[in-house]
Amino acid sequence: MHVKKRTIMQIELEKIEPLNRRDIKDSSLEGLTASAKDIIRSSLSPATLKAYKAAWKIFSKFCTDHNRTALGCDVQTLILFLTDQIERGKAPQTLQKHIAAIKYVHDLQGYHVD
């Protein structure tokens, strides 16, 4: 029997697996009306969710590679990540997508990001 070891990144991705709009945890929407919850659940297109998941995977890998915390990250981690992406020649639109994805995942998990 072969048991596949999971990386820290895979475990972190599993924490945010509810990127399926219908599976967003109600606890992250606490205090909202049922209609507000439905709007949030349906607010992102499948393509946007797919892009956010890919962006989160890149950010999470960066954090793992640099011994940083992805979920609940500090401002310094964000700056280091964005600097790394700029040095790799990423376009401003790509950086904006990464920022939006990081904020989205943090919001879903109950973390505050400005």
Side-chain angles (χ1 to χ4, degrees):
M1 174 190 244
H2 180 340
V3 177
K4 185 177 177 184
K5 291 185 180 180
R6 296 183 312 160
T7 65
I8 292 172
M9 181 178 70
Q10 289 168 324
I11 293 168
E12 292 228 12
L13 281 173
E14 287 172 8
K15 291 178 188 174
I16 60 144
E17 197 58 41
L19 285 181
N20 177 329
R21 295 174 292 178
R22 299 289 174 212
D23 294 335
I24 294 173
K25 296 176 187 173
D26 281 337
S27 62
S28 66
L29 305 176
E30 191 173 306
L32 299 179
T33 65
S35 60
K37 291 177 186 179
D38 288 341
I39 290 168
I40 290 170
R41 284 189 182 108
S42 63
S43 64
L44 298 176
S45 72
T48 300
L49 291 172
K50 183 177 179 180
Y52 281 10
K53 188 169 185 177
W56 178 259
K57 187 174 182 179
I58 291 167
F59 176 66
S60 183
K61 182 177 181 338
F62 170 86
C63 289
T64 299
D65 292 347
H66 292 86
N67 226 10
R68 309 293 292 191
T69 300
L71 192 58
C73 67
D74 57 18
V75 173
Q76 184 180 13
T77 299
L78 289 173
I79 292 169
L80 290 170
F81 172 70
L82 294 173
T83 301
D84 176 76
Q85 294 299 292
I86 291 167
E87 289 173 350
R88 292 172 184 267
K90 300 301 179 184
Q93 299 89 337
T94 301
L95 299 177
Q96 289 173 340
K97 178 184 69 175
H98 286 304
I99 293 167
I102 293 165
K103 181 174 180 358
Y104 179 74
V105 170
H106 278 80
D107 287 347
L108 278 180
Q109 299 300 318
Y111 290 88
H112 178 71
V113 178
D114 287 328

